[in-house]
Amino acid sequence: MTDVERFAHAGATLVAERRGRGERVYVLIHGIGMGRSVFADLERHLGDGEVVAFDLPGYGEAPEPRRVLTIERTADLVAAYLRARVRTPAVVIGHSMGAQVALEVAVRHPALAERIVLIGPTVDPTARTAPRQLWRLLRDIAVESPVVIARGAREYLRAGPRLRAKFRAVLRHRPEDVLPRVRMPALVLRGEDDIVAPQQWCRRIADTLPEGRLAEVAGHGHETMIRDAAPAARVIREFAGSV
């Protein structure tokens, strides 16, 4: 059974899709230019609980807000939805930009998250410029499967003409300043070939998080949760205590 709804808070609207049933709730937050559809395979492998996947404002089927949201405001919107609709601490999973949002949910609204998972987290401070981030992304995509490239291209087109402003919001956020304030178990998960989230940066994140650990998925790059998400799901379920 799948339920899809729009949820508005403080002038912005997200779209939430809910699947499955169970005591554990997994919340999926996508990266820049993406939408909830990229999590389809991961959702199938998180079948031990309920899965909530979002289209953030201005992505997927969610309408553009009047102003591009900061990472902090996006986290507040996600938290408002969780408080109103979920009402139980969730495993909050963010990919790429979504990892930044997940971090802010954990720090700003800690009662709503029992654990967080940061998949391919951005932004590496040693490459906090648009050209460097785009170059890394293009190099990572170049070796991806046609399915991943096609799905990603479709979602980037849906993200609309304000993608540049959204990218600036990502670069302004400083996850390294937030990490020490996370007070819950946290998993940093990367594909071993991920160019966007290099191992050195992910190791720094895991070491800075008070309860952090790092895991890698062999044979995958930045989009490890899109193509063959079963290995990533196994690590996530183990971390959540489901296997």
Side-chain angles (χ1 to χ4, degrees), residues 206-225:
D207 289 346
T208 305
L209 287 161
E211 297 185 63
R213 56 167 283 200
L214 173 65
E216 292 188 323
V217 179
H220 285 67
H222 193 57
E223 310 302 334
T224 183
M225 79 302 162

PDB file of all heavy atoms in Angstrom, residues 206-225:
ATOM      1  N   ALA A 206      32.883  10.629  10.019  1.00  0.00           N
ATOM      2  CA  ALA A 206      32.648   9.548  10.985  1.00  0.00           C
ATOM      3  C   ALA A 206      33.437   9.780  12.270  1.00  0.00           C
ATOM      4  O   ALA A 206      32.933   9.515  13.375  1.00  0.00           O
ATOM      5  CB  ALA A 206      33.006   8.207  10.364  1.00  0.00           C
ATOM      6  N   ASP A 207      34.668  10.272  12.157  1.00  0.00           N
ATOM      7  CA  ASP A 207      35.496  10.499  13.336  1.00  0.00           C
ATOM      8  C   ASP A 207      35.020  11.701  14.148  1.00  0.00           C
ATOM      9  O   ASP A 207      35.230  11.752  15.374  1.00  0.00           O
ATOM     10  CB  ASP A 207      36.956  10.716  12.916  1.00  0.00           C
ATOM     11  CG  ASP A 207      37.617   9.443  12.408  1.00  0.00           C
ATOM     12  OD1 ASP A 207      37.052   8.350  12.630  1.00  0.00           O
ATOM     13  OD2 ASP A 207      38.679   9.545  11.771  1.00  0.00           O
ATOM     14  N   THR A 208      34.389  12.678  13.491  1.00  0.00           N
ATOM     15  CA  THR A 208      33.917  13.878  14.181  1.00  0.00           C
ATOM     16  C   THR A 208      32.582  13.636  14.876  1.00  0.00           C
ATOM     17  O   THR A 208      32.316  14.215  15.940  1.00  0.00           O
ATOM     18  CB  THR A 208      33.788  15.056  13.196  1.00  0.00           C
ATOM     19  OG1 THR A 208      35.029  15.256  12.520  1.00  0.00           O
ATOM     20  CG2 THR A 208      33.410  16.339  13.914  1.00  0.00           C
ATOM     21  N   LEU A 209      31.746  12.802  14.296  1.00  0.00           N
ATOM     22  CA  LEU A 209      30.463  12.471  14.915  1.00  0.00           C
ATOM     23  C   LEU A 209      30.713  11.758  16.246  1.00  0.00           C
ATOM     24  O   LEU A 209      31.497  10.807  16.299  1.00  0.00           O
ATOM     25  CB  LEU A 209      29.639  11.572  13.993  1.00  0.00           C
ATOM     26  CG  LEU A 209      29.035  12.238  12.758  1.00  0.00           C
ATOM     27  CD1 LEU A 209      28.666  11.187  11.719  1.00  0.00           C
ATOM     28  CD2 LEU A 209      27.809  13.065  13.149  1.00  0.00           C
ATOM     29  N   PRO A 210      30.060  12.182  17.315  1.00  0.00           N
ATOM     30  CA  PRO A 210      30.279  11.531  18.611  1.00  0.00           C
ATOM     31  C   PRO A 210      29.998  10.034  18.608  1.00  0.00           C
ATOM     32  O   PRO A 210      30.661   9.277  19.323  1.00  0.00           O
ATOM     33  CB  PRO A 210      29.308  12.283  19.529  1.00  0.00           C
ATOM     34  CG  PRO A 210      29.207  13.639  18.916  1.00  0.00           C
ATOM     35  CD  PRO A 210      29.229  13.386  17.436  1.00  0.00           C
ATOM     36  N   GLU A 211      29.026   9.589  17.809  1.00  0.00           N
ATOM     37  CA  GLU A 211      28.715   8.159  17.712  1.00  0.00           C
ATOM     38  C   GLU A 211      28.693   7.737  16.244  1.00  0.00           C
ATOM     39  O   GLU A 211      27.751   7.115  15.773  1.00  0.00           O
ATOM     40  CB  GLU A 211      27.370   7.847  18.366  1.00  0.00           C
ATOM     41  CG  GLU A 211      27.296   8.121  19.853  1.00  0.00           C
ATOM     42  CD  GLU A 211      25.978   7.686  20.444  1.00  0.00           C
ATOM     43  OE1 GLU A 211      25.655   6.474  20.420  1.00  0.00           O
ATOM     44  OE2 GLU A 211      25.238   8.577  20.928  1.00  0.00           O
ATOM     45  N   GLY A 212      29.755   8.066  15.522  1.00  0.00           N
ATOM     46  CA  GLY A 212      29.788   7.809  14.090  1.00  0.00           C
ATOM     47  C   GLY A 212      30.562   6.560  13.718  1.00  0.00           C
ATOM     48  O   GLY A 212      31.474   6.141  14.423  1.00  0.00           O
ATOM     49  N   ARG A 213      30.180   5.969  12.587  1.00  0.00           N
ATOM     50  CA  ARG A 213      30.928   4.852  12.011  1.00  0.00           C
ATOM     51  C   ARG A 213      30.854   4.965  10.504  1.00  0.00           C
ATOM     52  O   ARG A 213      29.910   5.546   9.952  1.00  0.00           O
ATOM     53  CB  ARG A 213      30.381   3.500  12.454  1.00  0.00           C
ATOM     54  CG  ARG A 213      28.917   3.264  12.161  1.00  0.00           C
ATOM     55  CD  ARG A 213      28.493   1.829  12.321  1.00  0.00           C
ATOM     56  NE  ARG A 213      28.920   1.014  11.199  1.00  0.00           N
ATOM     57  CZ  ARG A 213      28.381  -0.163  10.884  1.00  0.00           C
ATOM     58  NH1 ARG A 213      27.420  -0.665  11.634  1.00  0.00           N
ATOM     59  NH2 ARG A 213      28.788  -0.839   9.842  1.00  0.00           N
ATOM     60  N   LEU A 214      31.856   4.441   9.831  1.00  0.00           N
ATOM     61  CA  LEU A 214      31.948   4.512   8.370  1.00  0.00           C
ATOM     62  C   LEU A 214      31.825   3.120   7.779  1.00  0.00           C
ATOM     63  O   LEU A 214      32.405   2.159   8.290  1.00  0.00           O
ATOM     64  CB  LEU A 214      33.287   5.129   7.964  1.00  0.00           C
ATOM     65  CG  LEU A 214      33.641   5.131   6.466  1.00  0.00           C
ATOM     66  CD1 LEU A 214      32.671   6.001   5.684  1.00  0.00           C
ATOM     67  CD2 LEU A 214      35.077   5.601   6.255  1.00  0.00           C
ATOM     68  N   ALA A 215      31.055   3.007   6.690  1.00  0.00           N
ATOM     69  CA  ALA A 215      30.947   1.758   5.939  1.00  0.00           C
ATOM     70  C   ALA A 215      31.009   2.091   4.458  1.00  0.00           C
ATOM     71  O   ALA A 215      30.592   3.170   4.028  1.00  0.00           O
ATOM     72  CB  ALA A 215      29.650   1.025   6.269  1.00  0.00           C
ATOM     73  N   GLU A 216      31.536   1.150   3.658  1.00  0.00           N
ATOM     74  CA  GLU A 216      31.637   1.341   2.214  1.00  0.00           C
ATOM     75  C   GLU A 216      30.948   0.193   1.483  1.00  0.00           C
ATOM     76  O   GLU A 216      30.938  -0.946   1.964  1.00  0.00           O
ATOM     77  CB  GLU A 216      33.097   1.428   1.783  1.00  0.00           C
ATOM     78  CG  GLU A 216      33.805   2.672   2.279  1.00  0.00           C
ATOM     79  CD  GLU A 216      35.198   2.827   1.689  1.00  0.00           C
ATOM     80  OE1 GLU A 216      35.882   1.799   1.504  1.00  0.00           O
ATOM     81  OE2 GLU A 216      35.591   3.960   1.406  1.00  0.00           O
ATOM     82  N   VAL A 217      30.398   0.520   0.321  1.00  0.00           N
ATOM     83  CA  VAL A 217      29.760  -0.472  -0.535  1.00  0.00           C
ATOM     84  C   VAL A 217      30.651  -0.699  -1.745  1.00  0.00           C
ATOM     85  O   VAL A 217      30.919   0.236  -2.510  1.00  0.00           O
ATOM     86  CB  VAL A 217      28.355  -0.018  -0.987  1.00  0.00           C
ATOM     87  CG1 VAL A 217      27.724  -1.053  -1.907  1.00  0.00           C
ATOM     88  CG2 VAL A 217      27.462   0.221   0.231  1.00  0.00           C
ATOM     89  N   ALA A 218      31.124  -1.919  -1.916  1.00  0.00           N
ATOM     90  CA  ALA A 218      32.040  -2.230  -3.010  1.00  0.00           C
ATOM     91  C   ALA A 218      31.361  -2.090  -4.366  1.00  0.00           C
ATOM     92  O   ALA A 218      30.174  -2.396  -4.525  1.00  0.00           O
ATOM     93  CB  ALA A 218      32.578  -3.652  -2.844  1.00  0.00           C
ATOM     94  N   GLY A 219      32.126  -1.611  -5.344  1.00  0.00           N
ATOM     95  CA  GLY A 219      31.645  -1.558  -6.717  1.00  0.00           C
ATOM     96  C   GLY A 219      30.612  -0.495  -7.009  1.00  0.00           C
ATOM     97  O   GLY A 219      29.944  -0.549  -8.043  1.00  0.00           O
ATOM     98  N   HIS A 220      30.452   0.477  -6.128  1.00  0.00           N
ATOM     99  CA  HIS A 220      29.468   1.533  -6.319  1.00  0.00           C
ATOM    100  C   HIS A 220      30.128   2.897  -6.195  1.00  0.00           C
ATOM    101  O   HIS A 220      31.159   3.051  -5.535  1.00  0.00           O
ATOM    102  CB  HIS A 220      28.343   1.428  -5.292  1.00  0.00           C
ATOM    103  CG  HIS A 220      27.374   0.335  -5.554  1.00  0.00           C
ATOM    104  ND1 HIS A 220      27.725  -0.996  -5.466  1.00  0.00           N
ATOM    105  CD2 HIS A 220      26.069   0.355  -5.922  1.00  0.00           C
ATOM    106  CE1 HIS A 220      26.667  -1.739  -5.752  1.00  0.00           C
ATOM    107  NE2 HIS A 220      25.654  -0.946  -6.035  1.00  0.00           N
ATOM    108  N   GLY A 221      29.483   3.902  -6.820  1.00  0.00           N
ATOM    109  CA  GLY A 221      29.931   5.276  -6.727  1.00  0.00           C
ATOM    110  C   GLY A 221      28.967   6.102  -5.901  1.00  0.00           C
ATOM    111  O   GLY A 221      28.378   5.623  -4.933  1.00  0.00           O
ATOM    112  N   HIS A 222      28.759   7.351  -6.318  1.00  0.00           N
ATOM    113  CA  HIS A 222      27.941   8.282  -5.535  1.00  0.00           C
ATOM    114  C   HIS A 222      26.482   7.853  -5.466  1.00  0.00           C
ATOM    115  O   HIS A 222      25.792   8.163  -4.500  1.00  0.00           O
ATOM    116  CB  HIS A 222      28.061   9.685  -6.139  1.00  0.00           C
ATOM    117  CG  HIS A 222      27.520  10.765  -5.257  1.00  0.00           C
ATOM    118  ND1 HIS A 222      27.965  10.972  -3.967  1.00  0.00           N
ATOM    119  CD2 HIS A 222      26.551  11.703  -5.472  1.00  0.00           C
ATOM    120  CE1 HIS A 222      27.313  11.996  -3.433  1.00  0.00           C
ATOM    121  NE2 HIS A 222      26.457  12.450  -4.318  1.00  0.00           N
ATOM    122  N   GLU A 223      25.998   7.177  -6.487  1.00  0.00           N
ATOM    123  CA  GLU A 223      24.579   6.803  -6.538  1.00  0.00           C
ATOM    124  C   GLU A 223      24.357   5.375  -6.036  1.00  0.00           C
ATOM    125  O   GLU A 223      23.571   4.615  -6.590  1.00  0.00           O
ATOM    126  CB  GLU A 223      24.051   6.957  -7.971  1.00  0.00           C
ATOM    127  CG  GLU A 223      24.359   8.294  -8.615  1.00  0.00           C
ATOM    128  CD  GLU A 223      23.815   9.479  -7.818  1.00  0.00           C
ATOM    129  OE1 GLU A 223      22.833   9.298  -7.081  1.00  0.00           O
ATOM    130  OE2 GLU A 223      24.386  10.577  -7.928  1.00  0.00           O
ATOM    131  N   THR A 224      25.026   5.028  -4.963  1.00  0.00           N
ATOM    132  CA  THR A 224      24.968   3.652  -4.473  1.00  0.00           C
ATOM    133  C   THR A 224      23.571   3.206  -4.080  1.00  0.00           C
ATOM    134  O   THR A 224      23.268   2.021  -4.055  1.00  0.00           O
ATOM    135  CB  THR A 224      25.936   3.475  -3.280  1.00  0.00           C
ATOM    136  OG1 THR A 224      25.924   2.129  -2.857  1.00  0.00           O
ATOM    137  CG2 THR A 224      25.519   4.366  -2.109  1.00  0.00           C
ATOM    138  N   MET A 225      22.655   4.162  -3.756  1.00  0.00           N
ATOM    139  CA  MET A 225      21.308   3.764  -3.348  1.00  0.00           C
ATOM    140  C   MET A 225      20.339   3.710  -4.529  1.00  0.00           C
ATOM    141  O   MET A 225      19.171   3.392  -4.345  1.00  0.00           O
ATOM    142  CB  MET A 225      20.774   4.695  -2.264  1.00  0.00           C
ATOM    143  CG  MET A 225      20.239   6.036  -2.710  1.00  0.00           C
ATOM    144  SD  MET A 225      21.414   7.046  -3.618  1.00  0.00           S
ATOM    145  CE  MET A 225      20.286   8.194  -4.408  1.00  0.00           C
TER     146      MET A 225
END
